[in-house]
Amino acid sequence: MRFLIRPDAVAAAQQVADIIAARLRARPTLVLGLATGETMRPFYAALVARHRDGLSFADATSFNLDEYVGMDARDPASFAAYMRAAFLDHVDLPTTRAHLPRGDAPDPTAEAQRYEDAVGRAGGIDLQVLGIGRNGHLGFNEPGSPLDSPTRVTTLAPSTRAANAPGFAPHRTPRQAITMGLGTILAARECVLLATGAAKAAAVAQALEGPPGTHCPATVLQQHPAAIIVLDVAAAADLHQRDDCEAVHPGATLDD
Ligand code: GLP
């Protein structure tokens, strides 16, 4: 794992956007894995700004990590709506190649398999962007998720439902989601984790320095051969190796 620690959430998000821009320029047909969540908003804003400066997504493909089961893509609370508003409506990535699981599919299990197959047909994910839940989840792979799991239907942990409740009417937070599995994520050729804010510090430390295991799904990143961890100072606060990280990678450039 390579750690890049930036002063604040905006600088960390811009760092991730810089990584995407560099990979996209080197490989315009990049297959991107994308994430949602509040952490990602400044990241998408930075990507849109780079597009306005000339970065093109015209030949790229994207696969989002997850979507709520039962969610119509037109619902403003859907991850599909989030992606349109934050990113897809503002860049030139063709909508036919911007994929999310279909939350309203009549058979969610079959939809999960279809999605896993679609990722495979696209040649796999070149670069997977990830956030992290406070309980260490990746996508909606909650604690207990098998480390080799494929895209599948999962049940949200109570703490995840509570964290995501502000986006929904009272008692309407979905209970299930279709998520890329930890195996799907690990198969990506490169992973970039973005975590910011003090509320993520404990999860970040457990995920990156704690004992690997299903109790903390994000510990799978410890076994990924090409994982970049981008943090702001607040999210890095509980890392024991933090000083080493900063010393080893002071202002590291994208291509080193
Ligand atoms: C969400 C998503 C994850 C995301 C995480 C953190 O529910 N399923 O992909 O990384 O929870 O979200 P936030 O950035 O809002 O803290």
Side-chain angles (χ1 to χ4, degrees), residues 35-40 65-66 68 79 130-133 137-140 160 164 200:
T36 52
E38 293 310 303
T39 309
M40 295 297 154
L65 281 168
D66 45 19
Y68 295 111
F79 287 160
L130 296 162
I132 186 171
H137 72 221
L138 294 181
F140 276 128
T160 300
N164 291 4
K200 296 294 174 67

Side-chain angles (χ1 to χ4, degrees), residues 90-230:
H90 311 288
V91 298
D92 58 349
L93 201 160
T95 52
T96 50
R97 290 207 303 274
H99 305 278
L100 289 99
R102 274 193 50 203
D104 63 345
D107 181 343
T109 301
E111 169 63 7
Q113 182 65 54
R114 182 198 69 79
Y115 200 73
E116 180 83 5
D117 294 345
V119 170
R121 272 198 308 278
I125 305 286
D126 289 316
L127 196 170
Q128 177 67 56
V129 177
L130 296 162
I132 186 171
R134 288 176 213 187
N135 64 356
H137 72 221
L138 294 181
F140 276 128
N141 293 281
E142 302 284 23
S145 297
L147 302 183
D148 60 353
S149 47
T151 304
R152 69 202 188 291
V153 176
T154 56
T155 298
L156 275 55
S159 62
T160 300
R161 291 187 70 220
N164 291 4
F168 297 92
H171 311 298
R172 298 298 299 271
T173 311
R175 294 176 181 278
Q176 289 191 307
I178 298 171
T179 184
M180 278 190 201
L182 295 176
T184 322
I185 292 168
L186 267 186
R189 285 177 271 283
E190 187 174 24
C191 286
V192 179
L193 177 77
L194 173 62
T196 57
K200 296 294 174 67
V204 164
Q206 192 183 16
L208 306 177
E209 295 185 340
T214 57
H215 64 286
C216 180
T219 56
V220 294
L221 291 173
Q222 295 180 25
Q223 20 169 320
H224 195 281
I228 304 179
I229 313 299
V230 183

